[in-house]
Amino acid sequence: MSAAAVIADRPEDHPLLDVDRLTIAVRTRHKHASVVRDVSLSVGVGEALGIVGESGSGKSLTLRALLGVLPKGTEVASGSISYRGDMLVSDGRQTDRMRSLRGREIGMVFQDATSALDPVIRVGDQINESVRRHTALGRRASNARTIELMDRMGIPDSRRRVRQYPHEFSGGMRQRVMIAMAIACNPSLLLCDEPTTALDVTTQTEILDLLAELRREQGLAVIFVSHDLGVVADVCERVCVMYCGQIIEAGPRAEVFDAPRHPYTLGLIESAPDIEAPSPALVAIPGEAPDATAPPAGCRFNPRCPMPLEECRSGGFPLIQIPGDRATACIRHERTGSLRHRSGPEAESA
Amino acid sequence: MPEPILEAREVTVDFAHRGRNAGHVRAVDHVSFSVAAGERLGIVGESGSGKSTLCKSIAGVYKPSSGQVLYQGAALPAKRSPDLRRAIQIVFQDPYTSLNPRMRIGKVLEEAVRAGGRTGEEPAQQVQELLVTVGLPAVAATVRPSKLSGGQRQRVAIARALAVEPTIILADEVTSALDVSVQAVIVNLLARLASERNLTLVFITHNLQVVRALCNRICVMHAGRIVETAFTRTIFAAPKHPYTLALLAAAPRLHPREEASEMTARPAAPPIAAEGCAYRLRCPLARAKCAEEVPPLARTGDEEPGQRVACHAVAEGWEGAARSPANSTTGES
C-alpha cells in the first residue's frame, strides 16, 4: 500500500478495490506452491479493468480470491485486499468484512451459467433469493424487484418467464439471469469470469452491450477476466496481462494493444485472429505455457521469448513503471515493437 | 472449377424425438456444396446451425435422411468400404474426450497405422514419423493423453487422422477448446499439412476470424441452411446476407469501433423462425415476403464470382440490403 493510502482515511480517497501483492498457493498433501504471485491491481469507482491471460495463467483464481471463493485446495498465502479502504484480506488472512460485502457490494458472474444456476429451482426464485438475502424487502416488494430486474436485463415476457426453470432459458438468457442475480443489490463492483465464453458471437454482443449499459447507468465498476483480447477491449479501459501466475504488463487498453511492451502480450495479439488485421496469418508463440506451480527460473517467459538475455534467466522480474501510466515486467520492453511480424510469412512452431 | 472431390447434394438430416411432442427436428435442411481437391472450405455458423451435423453426415457418422454425399463423383453408399472410410477422416472438437485415456499415444497411432493397411515400414517407425509430422517429440509415444496439454492432444488427433493417408480431413471445431496462442499453432499446422500433402480440408467453426486465416472459401450456415457462400476475401470485403453482416459486426475487435453497425441482429429476438426465412425475426430488413417463402441460395446479379446468397432483400434489392463492395462494413485490401 502506498504512503498516501495510509494517511487517507475517508472511503472516497481510496480506490474502490485495491489488491496488494496477492499470492495464492495450492496446498495438497504432496505439494505446496504458489500459483499466483505478487499480483497488485486497483480499480477506481466506475472503472473497468480487464485481466487477460490463457488457461493456467491464474486470472480466474485472482478474481475468485477477491470475493473469497477460491476453490478447495487453494488459499491466499500472503498479500492484502481492501475495499474502499476496508481490509478484506490483510496479510493473507481474511477478515470478517468479506462476507458482509460479498453479494451486496461486490457481485460476481461466472462463465458457465448452466452450472451456476440450480436446475430444479424456478429462475424467479433464484433471483429473488439474492434480492432477499441482502435487502430488507418483503415478499411482495422483492417479487416486484425480481420482475423489474428481469425487465432491466432485457428478458422478454418476464411475468411468465419468472416461473420457468433454467433449462427453458437459452444460454444468453441464462447469463442475463446470472447478471440479474449479481446486481440485485446494486453493487458497486461486478466481477466477471469469462461471462461470454460459452456464448455465440451475436449473443455475446448482446451481453457486452448490457454490461456497458449497466456501467453507464449505475456507475458500476467491473473487473472482467477473459482470454479473448477482443472482448476485453470491448469492455475495459485498462488491462492487465497475466502469464504463469504473474501480471507481466498493465496499462490503458488502447496503448497496450497498440504498442505492447512485453513480448508475451505481443505474442498473444499476433496469435489472436483479428478480423480487421491487414494480414490474416496467425503467428504462434513458440513452446508451451509452463506450469505456474513450477515456473522457469528468472523471467517466466524467457524460455519462449524471442529476445532473451543472459540476465533474463535468473532473478525476479517485478513490474516496472514506464511512461504513459503503464507497467511491464520486461527489461527489454523498448525493443518489443521490433519483434512484430504480423504481415510476415507464416510462422508455425513446435 | 475443377472436378469436385466432395459434393453434398440436397443433404437433409432429421432427428426423431419421442414423447409428448413426438416428431422430428431438421438439423440440416437441403444443403448443397462442393469442394475441389486441395481446397480449404470453411463452414461457419453458431450453435444449432447444423454445421457439426452436416460434418458428421459427410463423415458417415449420421446417415442423411435425404440427399446424397458424393466422393470423386460417385455417391457414397450407406455402408462404406474401408478405402472410402480411410479417404475421409474427421478430427473432433474436444481433444479430452476423443482420445482413450488409458491408451498410450504410441498405441493410439499404431492402431491407426495398422488400420491404414500400409505394409513395408514397421508400424513403430511410422508412428515416429507421424509424431514428427505434427511436431510432437518422440517420447510422446510413451505417455497417456493425461500427460499432454490440449494443443498436444489435438496434434495427436490430427496425427491419427493422417495415419491412414486420407484425401479429405473434416475438422469439427478443432480449435474451439484451445487457448488463442495454441489455436494459432494448430491452425498453422493444418495449413502446412494441407499444402504439403495436398489434402482437402473442410473446417467447421463458429469463429469467422479463424476461417479467414485458413480457408479459401466459406459457407455461412444458419438454422440448418447455407445462407451465403463465397470466396473468403469476398465474405470479408463484400458480405451480403444480413446474418453474415451481423456475424462480422459481432466479432470482437482489438480496437473497438465507436458506432454500432446497423446490421446487428435484433437483440433478444427468438433466433429461429419456424416458417419462411429462419433469420427473419432477427433481421433488420425483414418484410412480409420473408415469412411466406424460404429464399433460395442463388446468384443475385452483381455479386462477386462464386458468391451465392439466400435472401429476398438482397435478391430484390430492398432498401438497406448490401449491394456492392462499396457498401460493405469490413474492408480488406
Side-chain angles (χ1 to χ4, degrees):
Chain A
M1 195 184 290
S2 64
V6 177
I7 299 161
D9 51 0
R10 292 176 303 168
E12 57 270 30
D13 293 338
H14 293 281
L16 189 62
L17 187 84
D18 193 61
V19 178
D20 189 43
R21 281 166 297 166
L22 178 74
T23 295
I24 302 172
V26 205
R27 210 184 277 278
T28 64
R29 221 176 329 155
H30 308 291
K31 84 177 167 188
H32 179 204
S34 58
V35 267
V36 170
R37 186 151 206 128
D38 287 335
V39 162
S40 299
L41 49 89
S42 90
V43 190
V45 175
E47 214 185 8
L49 173 76
I51 303 180
V52 189
E54 299 189 279
S55 38
S57 63
K59 56 187 194 306
S60 290
L61 284 177
T62 303
L63 196 74
R64 283 167 163 269
L66 303 184
L67 209 57
V69 289
L70 282 170
K72 263 211 174 72
T74 52
E75 59 185 29
V76 174
S78 64
S80 58
I81 302 171
S82 65
Y83 183 81
R84 294 193 199 266
D86 260 355
M87 281 298 191
L88 302 185
V89 171
S90 169
D91 200 18
R93 259 170 237 277
Q94 191 170 321
T95 65
D96 44 10
R97 289 290 289 146
M98 176 79 86
R99 193 178 300 172
S100 64
L101 290 181
R102 188 192 296 156
R104 187 155 51 205
E105 283 288 321
I106 309 176
M108 183 152 180
V109 181
F110 294 91
Q111 172 177 354
D112 187 359
T114 313
S115 59
L117 292 170
D118 191 321
V120 296
I121 297 179
R122 292 178 203 275
V123 164
D125 293 342
Q126 300 196 47
I127 300 174
N128 210 336
E129 188 189 335
S130 41
V131 174
R132 298 188 67 170
R133 168 161 301 176
H134 302 290
T135 62
L137 294 179
R139 191 158 57 91
R140 199 177 297 258
S142 68
N143 287 348
R145 171 84 176 133
T146 299
I147 302 271
E148 179 198 320
L149 277 166
M150 287 177 75
D151 288 338
R152 178 124 177 55
M153 293 305 114
I155 300 171
D157 199 8
S158 55
R159 281 183 189 283
R160 184 175 62 85
R161 304 209 70 173
V162 74
R163 299 186 50 75
Q164 288 184 330
Y165 290 92
H167 76 266
E168 295 173 89
F169 279 57
S170 65
M173 284 297 153
R174 274 185 218 138
Q175 206 51 275
R176 286 168 197 264
V177 171
M178 289 291 300
I179 298 174
M181 290 164 67
I183 66 152
C185 315
N186 294 316
S188 306
L189 176 63
L190 187 65
L191 307 180
C192 299
D193 189 6
E194 308 227 20
T196 62
T197 304
L199 304 176
D200 280 327
V201 280
T202 52
T203 320
Q204 168 168 284
T205 313
E206 293 170 28
I207 298 294
L208 296 180
D209 287 349
L210 176 65
L211 279 177
E213 197 184 306
L214 290 172
R215 289 192 54 214
R216 221 172 26 242
E217 290 173 5
Q218 303 190 350
L220 191 65
V222 171
I223 300 183
F224 195 99
V225 163
S226 179
H227 69 275
D228 190 327
L229 301 174
V231 173
V232 167
D234 192 276
V235 179
C236 306
E237 294 102 34
R238 294 182 57 81
V239 293
C240 297
V241 183
M242 283 191 79
Y243 180 74
C244 195
Q246 292 178 320
I247 294 180
I248 51 94
E249 179 161 13
R253 177 256 298 162
E255 282 83 347
V256 171
F257 289 169
D258 245 351
R261 287 303 194 89
H262 194 287
Y264 175 66
T265 315
L266 179 68
L268 260 191
I269 291 169
E270 295 203 319
S271 60
D274 182 6
I275 211 152
E276 283 176 0
S279 153
L282 308 180
V283 182
I285 307 174
E288 300 253 337
D291 179 353
T293 59
C299 167
R300 295 182 173 193
F301 191 61
N302 92 73
R304 307 175 75 188
C305 182
M307 53 170 193
L309 295 177
E310 204 39 53
E311 54 258 50
C312 298
R313 297 190 212 283
S314 60
F317 288 81
L319 282 178
I320 38 181
Q321 298 298 323
I322 55 173
D325 196 18
R326 300 176 59 177
T328 174
C330 181
I331 53 172
R332 306 190 80 195
H333 62 87
E334 271 148 8
R335 295 207 48 219
T336 311
S338 67
L339 300 172
R340 277 190 178 278
H341 41 19
R342 185 88 200 211
S343 48
E346 167 206 89
E348 184 229 313
S349 50
Chain B
M1 192 163 164
E3 180 79 358
I5 187 166
L6 181 73
E7 197 180 348
R9 278 192 197 154
E10 303 279 312
V11 169
T12 299
V13 184
D14 291 333
F15 290 111
H17 57 90
R18 300 187 190 83
R20 250 191 315 178
N21 309 308
H24 68 263
V25 176
R26 180 150 290 182
V28 177
D29 194 359
H30 296 92
V31 165
S32 302
F33 66 84
S34 64
V35 193
E39 243 198 325
R40 300 179 200 164
L41 176 74
I43 297 181
V44 182
E46 296 186 299
S47 44
S49 62
K51 57 188 190 299
S52 277
T53 308
L54 176 64
C55 174
K56 285 175 183 161
S57 57
I58 296 166
V61 179
Y62 300 136
K63 194 171 154 298
S65 314
S66 67
Q68 278 182 323
V69 181
L70 288 81
Y71 175 71
Q72 293 180 332
L76 286 169
K79 191 162 167 33
R80 297 183 187 179
S81 68
D83 278 345
L84 282 175
R85 276 184 268 149
R86 276 196 287 274
I88 304 176
Q89 285 294 309
I90 185 166
V91 180
F92 293 99
Q93 169 173 2
D94 188 354
Y96 293 85
T97 56
S98 66
L99 295 173
N100 184 338
R102 296 185 53 103
M103 262 168 97
R104 293 181 198 278
I105 301 306
K107 194 85 186 147
V108 170
L109 295 179
E110 198 183 310
E111 201 170 70
V113 166
R114 289 187 196 280
R118 274 191 297 177
T119 49
E121 278 176 282
E122 277 293 299
Q125 179 63 32
Q126 292 186 40
V127 167
Q128 286 304 322
E129 281 168 17
L130 283 168
L131 288 174
V132 171
T133 308
V134 296
L136 284 172
V139 291
T142 62
V143 302
R144 295 199 170 87
S146 60
K147 285 271 179 276
L148 300 178
S149 68
Q152 290 170 330
R153 290 179 205 205
Q154 210 55 294
R155 288 177 198 259
V156 173
I158 292 169
R160 180 173 58 182
L162 291 176
V164 296
E165 300 189 319
T167 52
I168 298 174
I169 287 200
L170 307 169
D172 188 5
E173 298 253 24
V174 290
T175 64
S176 303
L178 306 176
D179 272 319
V180 279
S181 67
V182 185
Q183 166 173 283
V185 174
I186 297 296
V187 164
N188 290 343
L189 173 67
L190 279 173
R192 176 170 64 80
L193 292 173
S195 56
E196 278 176 10
R197 303 181 164 225
N198 196 28
L199 288 170
T200 305
L201 202 60
V202 178
F203 191 85
I204 281 110
T205 181
H206 64 274
N207 188 325
L208 266 172
Q209 296 98 297
V210 173
V211 280
R212 180 171 172 234
L214 185 63
C215 301
N216 65 314
R217 210 149 55 82
I218 294 177
C219 293
V220 179
M221 282 189 78
H222 179 261
R225 290 173 171 272
I226 293 176
V227 294
E228 179 160 6
T229 173
F231 288 108
T232 303
R233 58 174 183 277
T234 311
I235 288 280
F236 286 89
K240 286 242 159 51
H241 197 283
Y243 178 63
T244 312
L245 289 160
L247 275 183
L248 285 165
R253 287 163 163 76
L254 264 191
H255 300 284
R257 289 181 303 196
E258 288 305 316
E259 82 289 7
S261 162
E262 285 166 24
M263 293 307 286
T264 310
R266 290 178 189 170
I272 292 163
E275 65 290 306
C277 170
Y279 188 61
R280 68 188 161 83
L281 298 178
R282 308 191 78 188
C283 180
L285 305 175
R287 295 188 188 176
K289 185 175 183 185
C290 303
E292 291 153 11
E293 255 179 68
V294 178
L297 185 66
R299 292 177 178 283
T300 51
D302 65 2
E303 81 280 5
E304 299 282 306
Q307 189 171 23
R308 284 181 174 75
V309 185
C311 177
H312 293 310
V314 172
E316 298 179 8
W318 297 351
E319 196 184 327
R323 245 175 280 265
S324 60
N327 294 353
S328 69
T329 50
T330 13
E332 193 183 21
S333 50

